[in-house]
Amino acid sequence: MHVVIIGGGVIGLVTAWRAAQRGLRTTVVDPAPGGGAAQVAAGMLAAVSELHYGEETLLSLNLASAQRYPAFAAELTEASGQEVGYRACGTLAVALDADDRAHLRELHALQRRCGLDSQWLSGRECRRLEPMLAPGVRGGLRVDGDHQADPRRLATALLTACERAGVVFRHGWAQRLSVVRDRATGVVLADGSELAADQVVLAAGSDSGRLDGVPAEVLPPVRPVKGQVLRLRIPRASAPFLSRTVRAVVRGGHVYLVPRASGELVVGATSEELGWDTTVTAGGVYELLRDAHELVPGITELPLVETRAGLRPGSPDNAPLLGPTALPGLQVATGHYRNGILLAPVTGDALAQSLTTGELPEEARPFTARRFSDALQEQPA
Ligand code: GLY
């Protein structure tokens, strides 16, 4: 069976790697494989600290994927000969004022109701853990199970693992899905060439919602949600800066600082509904620096080495769309929104199973791509 995967970001690559491991002939179509949102993402594996009301079903998928990360990272490192920056560092979510503290208390109560492990700390206890925190920190939540991976390293390692597993790369844009007699039969590229496929997987991140040829009722309802991110560098000679991910809600906006073993410090992220715009704005950089500075005043001493904006693939319920669609021959792996790096292991496993058996594994069934097209058909005319 020949599988063509549209999109060579982390989700397309992990799908390709797992498909090739199962013996499927696999081609990835992407003008620049390994690019996309992975080049911007911070790589927090934040199943517990990014829990939201009403997302308990997504929580179980996030937790399943987080649990798989150590083995996934080890297997990928073995397959590619490259580290993926998996760091079991934990996370500290802190509050700077009474409103932030009330928000964190609510989050803590929700975490406890969901049986999750987190610990409430006083401001002093937070600063004992992370001495660079501002003296005004009013309390926080210690989440020892939320770790990090380095998305850029992950993408590079997946590229190598795919090549070693025999995945073929076609460098170009997928222009149109070919559909013959109500079945997806391949992909037409921007240069006019056509790739025939037994199964096509649409894994094009925020672009997944606008591929020509996909019937309207099957097109994934995915939209771009812009995130601006900064990269700073912690000089090797300086004392340990942060030992874990530190995050907060400041005036309603999320800010997080993710320290890598390499000395990189990622500060993110804005969340903006601005369509396909990926401009880095003075306002975005200002807000991130202002909020990060309130949390950790010492960041203003660090070199600012990169500013970048990327697009999260948002879905109507913030959860991914996985597996077979209502169009035979077309599967999807998209809509991962804020959790693409976290959900890579579970997505690869789910798509490998759905490509080989036609069925998603039990844990991924609530995320069937059909949940939105079925809802459309159920609406009165
Ligand atoms: N999960 C972090 C973000 O999407 O900004």
Side-chain angles (χ1 to χ4, degrees):
M1 179 163 89
H2 184 208
V3 178
V4 170
I5 297 171
I6 302 174
V10 159
I11 294 299
L13 291 175
V14 76
T15 302
W17 182 42
R18 291 308 197 197
Q21 284 180 321
R22 302 268 186 122
L24 305 180
R25 191 158 71 85
T26 307
T27 302
V28 171
V29 177
D30 194 303
Q39 295 301 314
V40 183
M44 287 182 300
L45 309 176
V48 177
S49 40
E50 282 201 9
L51 177 65
H52 290 101
Y53 280 107
E55 293 184 1
E56 288 81 357
T57 315
L58 176 58
L59 169 68
S60 52
L61 193 71
N62 286 345
L63 289 173
S65 210
Q67 212 168 36
R68 246 166 258 187
Y69 239 97
F72 171 77
E75 185 188 348
L76 184 53
T77 298
E78 172 76 28
S80 65
Q82 292 159 21
E83 295 291 333
V84 301
Y86 177 71
R87 192 174 179 203
C89 58
T91 294
L92 182 65
V94 301
L96 289 168
D97 62 24
D99 286 349
D100 300 344
R101 192 164 58 177
H103 171 91
L104 266 194
R105 286 276 190 203
E106 287 291 316
L107 175 62
H108 191 209
L110 179 62
Q111 290 167 341
R112 287 162 70 127
R113 278 201 298 282
C114 294
L116 300 170
D117 199 14
S118 63
Q119 188 191 351
W120 183 262
L121 301 183
S122 67
R124 184 172 302 179
E125 287 167 327
C126 290
R127 281 190 302 281
R128 207 173 296 139
L129 275 185
E130 295 296 342
M132 296 302 280
L133 281 173
V137 164
R138 304 276 292 264
L141 267 180
R142 178 175 174 166
V143 181
D144 284 343
D146 276 0
H147 304 312
Q148 61 160 299
D150 183 335
R152 292 178 176 178
R153 288 177 181 231
L154 188 67
T156 307
L158 280 168
L159 272 175
T160 305
C162 281
E163 279 161 4
R164 291 185 177 175
V167 173
V168 172
F169 288 90
R170 280 292 298 268
H171 294 84
W173 291 102
Q175 181 149 311
R176 184 163 49 82
L177 182 74
S178 303
V179 179
V180 177
R181 283 191 290 279
D182 293 332
R183 184 181 173 90
T185 56
V187 180
V188 178
L189 276 69
D191 64 6
S193 60
E194 180 157 5
L195 271 175
D198 300 292
Q199 294 280 344
V200 176
V201 180
L202 182 51
S206 53
D207 275 319
S208 304
R210 58 174 187 177
L211 180 67
D212 285 350
V214 182
E217 66 280 11
V218 174
L219 205 61
V222 171
R223 68 185 197 287
V225 182
K226 177 178 172 183
Q228 300 190 49
V229 170
L230 316 176
R231 283 177 161 79
L232 289 75
R233 179 143 297 282
I234 300 165
R236 281 194 194 285
S238 72
F241 197 80
L242 294 174
S243 64
R244 72 201 69 220
T245 296
V246 168
R247 55 184 303 149
V249 177
V250 183
R251 288 176 287 271
H254 289 269
V255 64
Y256 45 78
L257 290 85
V258 183
R260 304 236 190 275
S262 63
E264 182 177 78
L265 180 68
V266 184
V267 178
T270 65
S271 188
E272 303 164 76
E273 301 271 0
L274 288 174
W276 304 99
D277 172 48
T278 51
T279 317
V280 174
T281 62
V285 174
Y286 164 72
E287 279 170 27
L288 288 171
L289 286 176
R290 179 196 64 197
D291 295 350
H293 174 253
E294 274 188 43
L295 270 188
V296 180
I299 62 147
T300 48
E301 305 298 323
L302 303 178
L304 172 63
V305 293
E306 193 182 319
T307 59
R308 194 122 173 207
L311 299 171
R312 306 175 183 88
S315 78
D317 58 8
N318 299 336
L321 289 82
L322 303 174
T325 64
L327 181 70
L330 179 67
Q331 303 216 10
V332 297
T334 189
H336 291 70
Y337 190 38
R338 300 181 72 95
N339 297 308
I341 303 303
L342 170 61
L343 288 173
V346 90
T347 300
D349 294 345
L351 267 288
Q353 178 158 331
S354 66
L355 285 167
T356 47
T357 68
E359 300 278 353
L360 284 167
E362 189 67 38
E363 67 195 357
R365 285 193 194 150
F367 307 97
T368 169
R370 292 192 173 120
R371 66 190 187 278
F372 298 112
S373 44
D374 288 353
L376 268 182
Q377 274 159 11
E378 280 158 20
Q379 272 170 18

